Amino acid sequence: MRNAYRSSIAGAGFALLAALSNGTVGVFSRSAFNNGLDHTAVAFWRCGIALWLVSIAILLRSGGLARLVSAFKGSWKIAVCSALGIFTLYHFETQAFAYAPIPLVAILVFAGGLGAIALDILILRERITTRKAFAMIMVFLGGYFLIAGDGLTTGSTMGVSLALVAGLGYASFIFSWKFFKLRSSLETFWWFLAYGFVMLAVPYAWSGAPIPSANALPSLLSLGIIPSLCGFYCTILALQHIEAYKTQVIESSEPFFSALLAALFFGEWLTGPGMIAAATIVVGAFITSIPERAVSMQVRPVGERE
């Protein structure tokens, strides 16, 4: 029981670290836009930089290349997750930043993923307590009022739609990773990035494959290291310890970090009602992240795994 409790703490910690890392996407993407790049170039290069760094880490490990080749077997499952978590998220979220404020996009990305939580419960049979259900309702209502309020006043319909599609893709990636029972190894992560890199190359080439300027490199490197490498790896580590829906809800605290950075660097603020809606989402994520040690001991059937 103690190990299960510690695993729950570790999972929540990884999910929160992922939220913190992913919260930097909007600021760095907007900075890259200001240096002449479009959304296809930003998405392509941030994934490519993360892939390059993971490649170096694997090659420096003894037997890393052999394990990488071995991980290719059955990697179609990784490709599915990459199509959802890399291509759909990167392509549509980055484009949404051109049409709507950073904090609004960040919150809508996670509001768009609420439908996938139902899949976790119905298909993965993940256990829901009253407290967790209440937390998810808070996240849902916060997302709804944000779309109905700030979503229609501070951002265009295009920006809202793109952010929701990105959110659905990201949440579906979390569900699929857990459904396929993929390992959170460095080699698996490499294939995850590699498939996404190839997919993102298509719209990048279609847009003319612009070469980044020297001024854009700091933003691209930051995107590759912080959200693309650290953020995604923390997410798949979290999935090894806690349920998929809990990972999704905890990571919905990302808008808090996005809004804080957007306000500091670009002066972008949500309206009063929008900030209340955002706070509701963050509180719901916080409630979900608290381990239910006592409750679990009382209601879990004998022999059921955490």
Side-chain angles (χ1 to χ4, degrees):
M1 177 60 63
R2 181 174 297 178
N3 289 337
Y5 182 73
R6 289 177 178 175
S7 181
S8 181
I9 290 289
F14 282 127
L16 286 171
L17 283 174
L20 174 59
S21 299
N22 293 334
T24 64
V25 172
V27 170
F28 291 136
S29 295
R30 186 66 60 80
S31 178
F33 293 159
N34 292 340
N35 284 289
L37 293 180
D38 65 4
H39 71 278
T40 63
V42 172
F44 174 80
W45 284 105
R46 64 176 284 201
C47 182
I49 291 171
L51 178 62
W52 174 67
L53 293 173
V54 175
S55 298
I56 294 176
I58 290 176
L59 292 176
L60 290 177
R61 298 171 66 188
S62 178
L65 185 58
R67 287 194 297 271
L68 181 63
V69 174
S70 177
F72 177 73
K73 183 179 180 180
S75 63
W76 66 269
K77 298 176 182 178
I78 304 176
V80 171
C81 292
S82 185
L84 297 169
I86 294 288
F87 179 78
T88 304
L89 176 67
Y90 282 21
H91 182 72
F92 292 101
E93 180 189 35
T94 308
Q95 190 175 3
F97 287 126
Y99 293 93
I102 293 172
L104 176 63
V105 172
I107 296 174
L108 290 177
V109 164
F110 284 92
L114 290 172
I117 294 177
L119 296 177
D120 303 333
I121 299 170
L122 296 175
I123 298 178
L124 297 181
R125 302 295 183 183
E126 295 184 341
R127 182 168 50 85
I128 294 292
T129 64
T130 301
R131 194 190 74 181
K132 293 174 183 176
F134 175 72
M136 286 191 293
I137 291 174
M138 291 183 66
V139 175
F140 175 81
L141 290 177
Y144 170 78
F145 286 114
L146 190 74
I147 295 172
D150 280 33
L152 299 179
T153 58
T154 63
S156 67
T157 302
M158 176 65 75
V160 170
S161 301
L162 291 169
L164 290 174
V165 171
L168 180 59
Y170 186 70
S172 299
F173 141 70
I174 292 178
F175 162 78
S176 299
W177 192 279
K178 196 79 171 182
F179 179 78
F180 289 137
K181 299 179 181 178
L182 294 173
R183 296 177 61 243
S184 298
S185 66
L186 204 59
E187 292 74 25
T188 302
F189 188 47
W190 187 92
W191 285 108
F192 176 69
L193 290 171
Y195 280 119
F197 183 70
V198 173
M199 296 176 196
L200 289 170
V202 176
Y204 177 60
W206 186 265
S207 67
I211 302 300
S213 65
N215 292 333
L217 288 180
S219 299
L220 292 177
L221 286 172
S222 298
L223 281 168
I225 295 171
I226 300 176
S228 298
L229 180 60
C230 297
F232 263 108
Y233 198 54
C234 284
T235 294
I236 63 178
L237 286 175
L239 291 171
Q240 293 293 102
H241 296 279
I242 58 177
E243 299 94 329
Y245 83 89
K246 181 180 286 189
T247 301
Q248 171 67 22
V249 176
I250 293 174
E251 288 195 20
S252 65
S253 61
E254 177 197 322
F256 170 78
F257 304 110
S258 296
L260 180 62
L261 293 172
L264 290 175
F265 290 97
F266 294 104
E268 294 185 355
W269 295 88
L270 294 172
T271 64
M275 294 181 69
I276 294 176
T280 302
I281 294 174
V282 172
V283 172
F286 175 75
I287 293 174
T288 307
S289 68
I290 301 175
E292 298 189 65
R293 186 176 186 178
V295 176
S296 297
M297 293 174 63
Q298 293 174 5
V299 302
R300 186 187 308 117
V302 176
E304 181 181 334
R305 294 170 56 192
E306 175 69 19

